[in-house]
Every structure is written in C-alpha cells, then in structure tokens.
Amino acid sequence: MHKSLNEIAQHLPANVLAEDCPSRAILQHVTSRWGTLILIALAPGTLRFAELRRRVQGISERMLAQTLQVLESDHLVIRTAHEVVPPHVDYALTPLGAELAVRVLSLAHWIEENLPALQEAQT
Amino acid sequence: MHKSLNEIAQHLPANVLAEDCPSRAILQHVTSRWGTLILIALAPGTLRFAELRRRVQGISERMLAQTLQVLESDHLVIRTAHEVVPPHVDYALTPLGAELAVRVLSLAHWIEENLPALQEAQT
DNA sequence: GGAAGAACCCACATTTCTGTAAGTATGCCG
DNA sequence: CGGCATACTTACAGAAATGTGGGTTCTTCC
C-alpha cells in the first residue's frame, strides 16, 4: 500500500525556511513583537495579568490578552483562572514553554550584552 | 560634578523589557518576520542576493533588500558589492552576526524538533 | 452611595508591514 | 538591434498589527 502525502510529510524534518512548514508559523508567534517579551517576562515564574502588563513595558491590554491566547494555543503558556470576584488569573510557562524560554533568553541577553557593539557608529 | 542622565544610562544594564531600551529595537529587527529567517539562511555561509531569495522561501525582493539593510545597519550582516556588470553582491554574517545566529538557530531547531508537541490537539 | 479593582472583550481608527508591478544600469550574446 | 541577466529602488495598494476608548461583572473599602 502507498503512503499518503500526509504520512510522508510526517517524517520529513520540519524546516522554517520552507514556506508552508507549520514550524514557521510557531516561530512567528514566538518572535512576534510581544510574544518574545512575554516569554521573557514569564521566565522567572508565574504572574498575573496586571503584573505581566507592568513588566512588559509598553504593551496594551489588548495585545497582552491576544498574544497570551496565541501562546496558550501553542502550549507554551498555561492560563489558570480562579473563579473569584474580582477575577484572579495566573499565567505561567508550560514545561515546553520553559524550554523555549531558555533559548529566547539566551538571544535577548546576548543582545543586551552586545548592545554597544551593535549600535556602533552608524555611517 | 554630577553625572548626566546619559552617563548614568550608559552603565545601566540593557533590558529588553524596558520600553525605551535600544536593545528592544534590535531584538525587534532580529525577530522580525524575515530577519530571523535571513540570519538562519546565512548561517552556513555567504550567499548572493538571488540565492538568498531562493533559500528564504516566500520572501519578496523588496522585503529581502529592506531587511538586509536593517541587519547591515546593526552590524550583523556585511554586504560586499563587486563592481561588475551584471552586478554581483555577496551577503555574509559578521562575527557578531554569527554569534547571534547560533542563538537563533538553537531557537528555530528547538521549534522544528518539538513541532509535534507544539501542535498537539487544539481543543 | 460611590469609587475602585481585576481581567478581560468589542468596535473603530490608525499605523505599520508586506506584496506587486514597473523601472534602472550596463555589457554580452546572437 | 533586441533581449537577457543581476541587484536593486520606487510608487502604489492591500493586508495585518496595534492602539484607544468604552463596557462588563461583582465585591470590598470609604
């Protein structure tokens, strides 16, 4: 019996340089303007919505809520709502998210440390 | 004598979570839709414009040229134009860019390898 | 009684990003 | 002479991302 295209695709290595590889979409989420910063802010531990908003300076409520939903759907962040009034919602990295965050932090820290070299005299 | 705000800022550690820290702008460049992919494509070595365009599937000439200029201004990529006709231009990572690319690749590879877990049954 | 607080959602306006199509220069090839 | 090739640039247009302001719910504090 022949294998379906899907079955074959399953075993092909993912490649972000390929236009239609699903990995590219996730890379996009992670490297989105606010996605990266949210991952970084959550790295040290669980935070509530308002606190997260304060850490990720400059983000609007709308973007925070929206980006969190995307990260949640990628299984990188977990949302825990406590049914009380006023609302109390916690956001944390999943184990998967934590692994990713390590890479993101490494990237961000490198930039922070090499900032002087990066912004040297632009002609 | 008192220190100017600038002098003080110079010694403050860079922080991407701070709204006006220049490191955030660079992070933005690197994590931009095409910036990341270009860095990845250049990691194995020097490429010409057209070849780069073929590797980064889906990018338009416009975006490739534009993004390359940004990365060049951040000292992450070097452009070498050979004055011949037809034009011949090479793009390569700078030593700085190569260091960054390591981090970017680590991020991308992790996503590629964990793709199955990331896209598991979305409710 | 009125205000404040939490974590949102929604409509609307605007800014920013991205793509498409066309144009530029110049020498070689047929 | 006409066309091709390379690496762009520019104008224009449509799509996508982002911000703003207002509303919601229920309870505690003054």
Side-chain angles (χ1 to χ4, degrees), chain A residues 48 50 61 69 79 87 91:
Chain A
R48 301 180 57 172
E61 288 193 353
Q69 285 178 8
R79 189 190 108 110
Y91 289 94

PDB file of all heavy atoms in Angstrom, chain A residues 48 50 61 69 79 87 91, chain C residues 5-9 11-12:
ATOM      1  N   ARG A  48       0.385  37.335  37.296  1.00  0.00           N
ATOM      2  CA  ARG A  48      -0.997  37.654  36.974  1.00  0.00           C
ATOM      3  C   ARG A  48      -1.022  38.638  35.824  1.00  0.00           C
ATOM      4  O   ARG A  48      -0.010  39.255  35.487  1.00  0.00           O
ATOM      5  CB  ARG A  48      -1.690  38.281  38.190  1.00  0.00           C
ATOM      6  CG  ARG A  48      -1.678  37.388  39.396  1.00  0.00           C
ATOM      7  CD  ARG A  48      -2.370  38.042  40.553  1.00  0.00           C
ATOM      8  NE  ARG A  48      -3.747  38.412  40.193  1.00  0.00           N
ATOM      9  CZ  ARG A  48      -4.616  38.865  41.075  1.00  0.00           C
ATOM     10  NH1 ARG A  48      -4.268  38.989  42.342  1.00  0.00           N
ATOM     11  NH2 ARG A  48      -5.838  39.186  40.700  1.00  0.00           N
ATOM     12  N   ALA A  50      -2.217  41.683  35.345  1.00  0.00           N
ATOM     13  CA  ALA A  50      -1.808  43.071  35.588  1.00  0.00           C
ATOM     14  C   ALA A  50      -0.310  43.197  35.837  1.00  0.00           C
ATOM     15  O   ALA A  50       0.329  44.153  35.385  1.00  0.00           O
ATOM     16  CB  ALA A  50      -2.585  43.644  36.767  1.00  0.00           C
ATOM     17  N   GLU A  61      -3.401  46.361  26.972  1.00  0.00           N
ATOM     18  CA  GLU A  61      -4.187  45.239  27.489  1.00  0.00           C
ATOM     19  C   GLU A  61      -4.593  44.311  26.347  1.00  0.00           C
ATOM     20  O   GLU A  61      -4.508  43.101  26.433  1.00  0.00           O
ATOM     21  CB  GLU A  61      -5.463  45.751  28.169  1.00  0.00           C
ATOM     22  CG  GLU A  61      -5.229  46.422  29.489  1.00  0.00           C
ATOM     23  CD  GLU A  61      -6.538  46.599  30.240  1.00  0.00           C
ATOM     24  OE1 GLU A  61      -7.612  46.321  29.671  1.00  0.00           O
ATOM     25  OE2 GLU A  61      -6.484  47.013  31.414  1.00  0.00           O
ATOM     26  N   GLN A  69      -3.201  34.440  24.350  1.00  0.00           N
ATOM     27  CA  GLN A  69      -4.052  33.392  23.776  1.00  0.00           C
ATOM     28  C   GLN A  69      -3.313  32.574  22.732  1.00  0.00           C
ATOM     29  O   GLN A  69      -3.457  31.350  22.661  1.00  0.00           O
ATOM     30  CB  GLN A  69      -5.299  34.026  23.152  1.00  0.00           C
ATOM     31  CG  GLN A  69      -6.303  34.477  24.211  1.00  0.00           C
ATOM     32  CD  GLN A  69      -7.514  35.159  23.599  1.00  0.00           C
ATOM     33  OE1 GLN A  69      -7.683  35.174  22.375  1.00  0.00           O
ATOM     34  NE2 GLN A  69      -8.359  35.734  24.438  1.00  0.00           N
ATOM     35  N   ARG A  79      -2.869  29.141  31.330  1.00  0.00           N
ATOM     36  CA  ARG A  79      -3.699  30.141  31.985  1.00  0.00           C
ATOM     37  C   ARG A  79      -4.510  29.445  33.061  1.00  0.00           C
ATOM     38  O   ARG A  79      -5.172  28.440  32.796  1.00  0.00           O
ATOM     39  CB  ARG A  79      -4.636  30.745  30.943  1.00  0.00           C
ATOM     40  CG  ARG A  79      -5.401  31.945  31.407  1.00  0.00           C
ATOM     41  CD  ARG A  79      -6.470  32.314  30.388  1.00  0.00           C
ATOM     42  NE  ARG A  79      -7.765  31.982  30.932  1.00  0.00           N
ATOM     43  CZ  ARG A  79      -8.660  32.903  31.309  1.00  0.00           C
ATOM     44  NH1 ARG A  79      -8.412  34.179  31.148  1.00  0.00           N
ATOM     45  NH2 ARG A  79      -9.812  32.531  31.824  1.00  0.00           N
ATOM     46  N   PRO A  87     -11.760  38.980  39.496  1.00  0.00           N
ATOM     47  CA  PRO A  87     -11.059  37.879  38.840  1.00  0.00           C
ATOM     48  C   PRO A  87      -9.606  37.752  39.289  1.00  0.00           C
ATOM     49  O   PRO A  87      -8.950  38.726  39.626  1.00  0.00           O
ATOM     50  CB  PRO A  87     -11.109  38.264  37.362  1.00  0.00           C
ATOM     51  CG  PRO A  87     -12.181  39.247  37.223  1.00  0.00           C
ATOM     52  CD  PRO A  87     -12.317  39.931  38.524  1.00  0.00           C
ATOM     53  N   TYR A  91      -0.769  33.293  34.917  1.00  0.00           N
ATOM     54  CA  TYR A  91      -0.128  32.834  33.689  1.00  0.00           C
ATOM     55  C   TYR A  91       1.245  32.284  34.027  1.00  0.00           C
ATOM     56  O   TYR A  91       1.982  32.883  34.801  1.00  0.00           O
ATOM     57  CB  TYR A  91       0.012  33.983  32.691  1.00  0.00           C
ATOM     58  CG  TYR A  91      -1.306  34.406  32.115  1.00  0.00           C
ATOM     59  CD1 TYR A  91      -2.028  35.454  32.681  1.00  0.00           C
ATOM     60  CD2 TYR A  91      -1.858  33.743  31.031  1.00  0.00           C
ATOM     61  CE1 TYR A  91      -3.263  35.831  32.162  1.00  0.00           C
ATOM     62  CE2 TYR A  91      -3.089  34.108  30.507  1.00  0.00           C
ATOM     63  CZ  TYR A  91      -3.782  35.152  31.083  1.00  0.00           C
ATOM     64  OH  TYR A  91      -5.007  35.507  30.579  1.00  0.00           O
TER      65      TYR A  91
ATOM     66  P    DG C   5      -7.856  51.515  41.927  1.00  0.00           P
ATOM     67  OP1  DG C   5      -6.589  51.857  42.593  1.00  0.00           O
ATOM     68  OP2  DG C   5      -8.178  52.016  40.571  1.00  0.00           O
ATOM     69  O5'  DG C   5      -7.983  49.932  41.906  1.00  0.00           O
ATOM     70  C5'  DG C   5      -8.128  49.196  43.127  1.00  0.00           C
ATOM     71  C4'  DG C   5      -8.507  47.775  42.755  1.00  0.00           C
ATOM     72  O4'  DG C   5      -9.926  47.718  42.486  1.00  0.00           O
ATOM     73  C3'  DG C   5      -7.792  47.317  41.479  1.00  0.00           C
ATOM     74  O3'  DG C   5      -7.115  46.083  41.726  1.00  0.00           O
ATOM     75  C2'  DG C   5      -8.890  47.137  40.451  1.00  0.00           C
ATOM     76  C1'  DG C   5     -10.151  46.979  41.283  1.00  0.00           C
ATOM     77  N9   DG C   5     -11.365  47.489  40.656  1.00  0.00           N
ATOM     78  C8   DG C   5     -11.522  48.655  39.959  1.00  0.00           C
ATOM     79  N7   DG C   5     -12.737  48.821  39.495  1.00  0.00           N
ATOM     80  C5   DG C   5     -13.417  47.690  39.917  1.00  0.00           C
ATOM     81  C6   DG C   5     -14.767  47.300  39.722  1.00  0.00           C
ATOM     82  O6   DG C   5     -15.659  47.895  39.113  1.00  0.00           O
ATOM     83  N1   DG C   5     -15.046  46.078  40.313  1.00  0.00           N
ATOM     84  C2   DG C   5     -14.139  45.319  41.017  1.00  0.00           C
ATOM     85  N2   DG C   5     -14.580  44.176  41.516  1.00  0.00           N
ATOM     86  N3   DG C   5     -12.881  45.674  41.214  1.00  0.00           N
ATOM     87  C4   DG C   5     -12.587  46.865  40.629  1.00  0.00           C
ATOM     88  P    DA C   6      -5.999  45.576  40.631  1.00  0.00           P
ATOM     89  OP1  DA C   6      -4.848  45.023  41.364  1.00  0.00           O
ATOM     90  OP2  DA C   6      -5.796  46.628  39.593  1.00  0.00           O
ATOM     91  O5'  DA C   6      -6.764  44.378  39.943  1.00  0.00           O
ATOM     92  C5'  DA C   6      -7.147  43.265  40.747  1.00  0.00           C
ATOM     93  C4'  DA C   6      -7.869  42.265  39.864  1.00  0.00           C
ATOM     94  O4'  DA C   6      -9.161  42.788  39.540  1.00  0.00           O
ATOM     95  C3'  DA C   6      -7.123  42.039  38.554  1.00  0.00           C
ATOM     96  O3'  DA C   6      -6.762  40.663  38.468  1.00  0.00           O
ATOM     97  C2'  DA C   6      -8.104  42.422  37.453  1.00  0.00           C
ATOM     98  C1'  DA C   6      -9.427  42.626  38.170  1.00  0.00           C
ATOM     99  N9   DA C   6     -10.136  43.838  37.732  1.00  0.00           N
ATOM    100  C8   DA C   6      -9.613  45.077  37.487  1.00  0.00           C
ATOM    101  N7   DA C   6     -10.507  45.966  37.127  1.00  0.00           N
ATOM    102  C5   DA C   6     -11.704  45.266  37.133  1.00  0.00           C
ATOM    103  C6   DA C   6     -13.031  45.633  36.848  1.00  0.00           C
ATOM    104  N6   DA C   6     -13.382  46.865  36.477  1.00  0.00           N
ATOM    105  N1   DA C   6     -13.985  44.680  36.953  1.00  0.00           N
ATOM    106  C2   DA C   6     -13.622  43.442  37.329  1.00  0.00           C
ATOM    107  N3   DA C   6     -12.401  42.980  37.632  1.00  0.00           N
ATOM    108  C4   DA C   6     -11.486  43.950  37.513  1.00  0.00           C
ATOM    109  P    DA C   7      -5.692  40.193  37.419  1.00  0.00           P
ATOM    110  OP1  DA C   7      -5.182  38.892  37.904  1.00  0.00           O
ATOM    111  OP2  DA C   7      -4.768  41.290  37.113  1.00  0.00           O
ATOM    112  O5'  DA C   7      -6.604  39.936  36.140  1.00  0.00           O
ATOM    113  C5'  DA C   7      -7.607  38.934  36.238  1.00  0.00           C
ATOM    114  C4'  DA C   7      -8.460  38.967  34.997  1.00  0.00           C
ATOM    115  O4'  DA C   7      -9.232  40.179  34.983  1.00  0.00           O
ATOM    116  C3'  DA C   7      -7.655  38.961  33.677  1.00  0.00           C
ATOM    117  O3'  DA C   7      -8.274  38.037  32.782  1.00  0.00           O
ATOM    118  C2'  DA C   7      -7.802  40.376  33.177  1.00  0.00           C
ATOM    119  C1'  DA C   7      -9.196  40.700  33.674  1.00  0.00           C
ATOM    120  N9   DA C   7      -9.552  42.129  33.718  1.00  0.00           N
ATOM    121  C8   DA C   7      -8.756  43.193  33.979  1.00  0.00           C
ATOM    122  N7   DA C   7      -9.378  44.359  33.918  1.00  0.00           N
ATOM    123  C5   DA C   7     -10.681  44.019  33.599  1.00  0.00           C
ATOM    124  C6   DA C   7     -11.851  44.783  33.378  1.00  0.00           C
ATOM    125  N6   DA C   7     -11.871  46.116  33.463  1.00  0.00           N
ATOM    126  N1   DA C   7     -12.994  44.135  33.080  1.00  0.00           N
ATOM    127  C2   DA C   7     -12.965  42.797  32.996  1.00  0.00           C
ATOM    128  N3   DA C   7     -11.928  41.952  33.180  1.00  0.00           N
ATOM    129  C4   DA C   7     -10.808  42.645  33.478  1.00  0.00           C
ATOM    130  P    DC C   8      -7.523  37.459  31.511  1.00  0.00           P
ATOM    131  OP1  DC C   8      -8.397  36.537  30.703  1.00  0.00           O
ATOM    132  OP2  DC C   8      -6.267  36.947  32.038  1.00  0.00           O
ATOM    133  O5'  DC C   8      -7.270  38.774  30.657  1.00  0.00           O
ATOM    134  C5'  DC C   8      -7.967  39.056  29.450  1.00  0.00           C
ATOM    135  C4'  DC C   8      -9.462  39.167  29.614  1.00  0.00           C
ATOM    136  O4'  DC C   8      -9.735  40.257  30.506  1.00  0.00           O
ATOM    137  C3'  DC C   8     -10.154  39.516  28.314  1.00  0.00           C
ATOM    138  O3'  DC C   8     -10.691  38.342  27.718  1.00  0.00           O
ATOM    139  C2'  DC C   8     -11.270  40.447  28.713  1.00  0.00           C
ATOM    140  C1'  DC C   8     -10.905  40.938  30.091  1.00  0.00           C
ATOM    141  N1   DC C   8     -10.612  42.387  30.124  1.00  0.00           N
ATOM    142  C2   DC C   8     -11.666  43.305  30.014  1.00  0.00           C
ATOM    143  O2   DC C   8     -12.817  42.881  29.898  1.00  0.00           O
ATOM    144  N3   DC C   8     -11.413  44.621  30.019  1.00  0.00           N
ATOM    145  C4   DC C   8     -10.162  45.048  30.158  1.00  0.00           C
ATOM    146  N4   DC C   8      -9.968  46.378  30.160  1.00  0.00           N
ATOM    147  C5   DC C   8      -9.053  44.143  30.278  1.00  0.00           C
ATOM    148  C6   DC C   8      -9.322  42.827  30.252  1.00  0.00           C
ATOM    149  P    DC C   9     -10.674  38.266  26.127  1.00  0.00           P
ATOM    150  OP1  DC C   9     -10.875  36.843  25.769  1.00  0.00           O
ATOM    151  OP2  DC C   9      -9.490  38.986  25.645  1.00  0.00           O
ATOM    152  O5'  DC C   9     -11.972  39.096  25.707  1.00  0.00           O
ATOM    153  C5'  DC C   9     -13.255  38.728  26.248  1.00  0.00           C
ATOM    154  C4'  DC C   9     -14.327  39.620  25.625  1.00  0.00           C
ATOM    155  O4'  DC C   9     -14.182  40.957  26.166  1.00  0.00           O
ATOM    156  C3'  DC C   9     -14.178  39.764  24.103  1.00  0.00           C
ATOM    157  O3'  DC C   9     -15.476  39.715  23.493  1.00  0.00           O
ATOM    158  C2'  DC C   9     -13.512  41.105  23.908  1.00  0.00           C
ATOM    159  C1'  DC C   9     -13.983  41.898  25.133  1.00  0.00           C
ATOM    160  N1   DC C   9     -12.987  42.895  25.597  1.00  0.00           N
ATOM    161  C2   DC C   9     -13.389  44.223  25.775  1.00  0.00           C
ATOM    162  O2   DC C   9     -14.570  44.531  25.546  1.00  0.00           O
ATOM    163  N3   DC C   9     -12.489  45.137  26.191  1.00  0.00           N
ATOM    164  C4   DC C   9     -11.226  44.770  26.437  1.00  0.00           C
ATOM    165  N4   DC C   9     -10.379  45.707  26.846  1.00  0.00           N
ATOM    166  C5   DC C   9     -10.786  43.415  26.261  1.00  0.00           C
ATOM    167  C6   DC C   9     -11.692  42.508  25.846  1.00  0.00           C
ATOM    168  P    DA C  11     -17.777  43.842  17.669  1.00  0.00           P
ATOM    169  OP1  DA C  11     -19.087  43.414  17.146  1.00  0.00           O
ATOM    170  OP2  DA C  11     -16.535  43.189  17.188  1.00  0.00           O
ATOM    171  O5'  DA C  11     -17.636  45.417  17.450  1.00  0.00           O
ATOM    172  C5'  DA C  11     -18.518  46.326  18.131  1.00  0.00           C
ATOM    173  C4'  DA C  11     -18.058  47.754  17.882  1.00  0.00           C
ATOM    174  O4'  DA C  11     -16.828  47.996  18.605  1.00  0.00           O
ATOM    175  C3'  DA C  11     -17.758  48.051  16.412  1.00  0.00           C
ATOM    176  O3'  DA C  11     -18.288  49.333  16.081  1.00  0.00           O
ATOM    177  C2'  DA C  11     -16.246  48.022  16.320  1.00  0.00           C
ATOM    178  C1'  DA C  11     -15.814  48.443  17.718  1.00  0.00           C
ATOM    179  N9   DA C  11     -14.550  47.845  18.172  1.00  0.00           N
ATOM    180  C8   DA C  11     -14.164  46.529  18.083  1.00  0.00           C
ATOM    181  N7   DA C  11     -12.988  46.282  18.599  1.00  0.00           N
ATOM    182  C5   DA C  11     -12.568  47.521  19.067  1.00  0.00           C
ATOM    183  C6   DA C  11     -11.397  47.937  19.725  1.00  0.00           C
ATOM    184  N6   DA C  11     -10.399  47.113  20.047  1.00  0.00           N
ATOM    185  N1   DA C  11     -11.278  49.239  20.046  1.00  0.00           N
ATOM    186  C2   DA C  11     -12.288  50.068  19.725  1.00  0.00           C
ATOM    187  N3   DA C  11     -13.445  49.806  19.114  1.00  0.00           N
ATOM    188  C4   DA C  11     -13.519  48.490  18.810  1.00  0.00           C
ATOM    189  P    DC C  12     -18.166  49.882  14.587  1.00  0.00           P
ATOM    190  OP1  DC C  12     -19.326  50.771  14.376  1.00  0.00           O
ATOM    191  OP2  DC C  12     -17.880  48.773  13.662  1.00  0.00           O
ATOM    192  O5'  DC C  12     -16.866  50.813  14.686  1.00  0.00           O
ATOM    193  C5'  DC C  12     -16.794  51.834  15.684  1.00  0.00           C
ATOM    194  C4'  DC C  12     -15.417  52.485  15.646  1.00  0.00           C
ATOM    195  O4'  DC C  12     -14.430  51.616  16.222  1.00  0.00           O
ATOM    196  C3'  DC C  12     -14.939  52.818  14.224  1.00  0.00           C
ATOM    197  O3'  DC C  12     -14.673  54.205  14.155  1.00  0.00           O
ATOM    198  C2'  DC C  12     -13.680  51.967  14.044  1.00  0.00           C
ATOM    199  C1'  DC C  12     -13.242  51.711  15.477  1.00  0.00           C
ATOM    200  N1   DC C  12     -12.465  50.465  15.687  1.00  0.00           N
ATOM    201  C2   DC C  12     -11.267  50.545  16.402  1.00  0.00           C
ATOM    202  O2   DC C  12     -10.900  51.640  16.819  1.00  0.00           O
ATOM    203  N3   DC C  12     -10.548  49.423  16.598  1.00  0.00           N
ATOM    204  C4   DC C  12     -10.978  48.259  16.128  1.00  0.00           C
ATOM    205  N4   DC C  12     -10.241  47.181  16.362  1.00  0.00           N
ATOM    206  C5   DC C  12     -12.193  48.149  15.398  1.00  0.00           C
ATOM    207  C6   DC C  12     -12.907  49.268  15.199  1.00  0.00           C
TER     208       DC C  12
END
